[in-house]
Amino acid sequence: PRFTRTAAHAGAYVRFDSPPTSPSDGTFYPANEVLEGLQVPAEGKHSVYVWLRDRAGNDDYTTAVALPEALWYDGRPPTTVVTVTGGMGQNNGYRGPVGFSMSATDAASGVAETRWQLDGGEWTAGNAFTLDSDGQHVVRIVSEDEAGNVEPAHVYQIAIDRQPPLA
């Protein structure tokens, strides 16, 4: 966020997550025109409290402006657990349909979407799908959080062979 000050202000105090309890109970940011460079203390949602100091050194923390959950920080991608089900045959291949179910979590901003890709094709959003065509396949699965972080792809090499051997 950007806070604009007037010429009479020397800067602003900023405190995260709980109201100030004394005049200097925050970090002081000297300001020319705009208060910049705020850094949240950790991942998650943070409330911000801002109060001003004038050029004479006067400040009043009791007039702090409260901005509930004004800053959200999420620097980590979500985590997806993938469950693969199906009837295994020999040589790590499947004898029939292969099911994929995905469950993603992200504690900071929340999961925006889970998507999958088959054999380099288009990405499809969803939390489950079934692969039911014979052959060698490559499945990629990713999740993205509300902050735009995307986890590294889960990659599966899947072979399906439903045909009995020829005599």
Side-chain angles (χ1 to χ4, degrees), residues 6-154:
T6 67
H9 294 108
Y13 282 96
V14 176
R15 180 175 169 90
F16 292 101
D17 299 324
S18 62
T21 58
S22 68
S24 60
D25 188 19
T27 302
F28 182 74
Y29 292 87
N32 290 325
E33 293 298 322
V34 175
L35 176 60
E36 295 181 295
L38 297 179
Q39 294 185 358
V40 296
E43 275 201 347
K45 299 175 185 178
H46 298 277
S47 296
V48 180
Y49 298 84
V50 180
W51 63 105
L52 301 175
R53 178 196 292 168
D54 66 20
R55 294 202 182 278
N58 299 308
D59 49 47
D60 184 1
Y61 71 95
T62 64
T63 63
V65 174
L67 305 167
E69 296 187 353
L71 297 176
W72 292 20
Y73 172 64
D74 183 355
R76 289 183 253 174
T79 302
T80 304
V81 174
V82 180
T83 303
V84 181
T85 58
M88 291 295 292
Q90 296 178 3
N91 301 319
N92 293 322
Y94 290 88
R95 293 178 285 130
V98 179
F100 290 82
S101 62
M102 295 81 79
S103 176
T105 58
D106 185 89
S109 65
V111 176
E113 179 178 76
T114 298
R115 55 188 176 263
W116 56 274
Q117 179 190 54
L118 176 61
D119 298 331
E122 295 294 319
W123 287 92
T124 302
N127 293 316
F129 68 96
T130 300
L131 178 57
D132 192 21
S133 60
D134 279 7
Q136 300 286 331
H137 302 284
V138 177
V139 174
R140 288 181 174 78
I141 298 169
V142 299
S143 291
E144 181 175 353
D145 65 21
E146 293 290 347
N149 300 309
V150 179
E151 72 180 323
H154 300 260

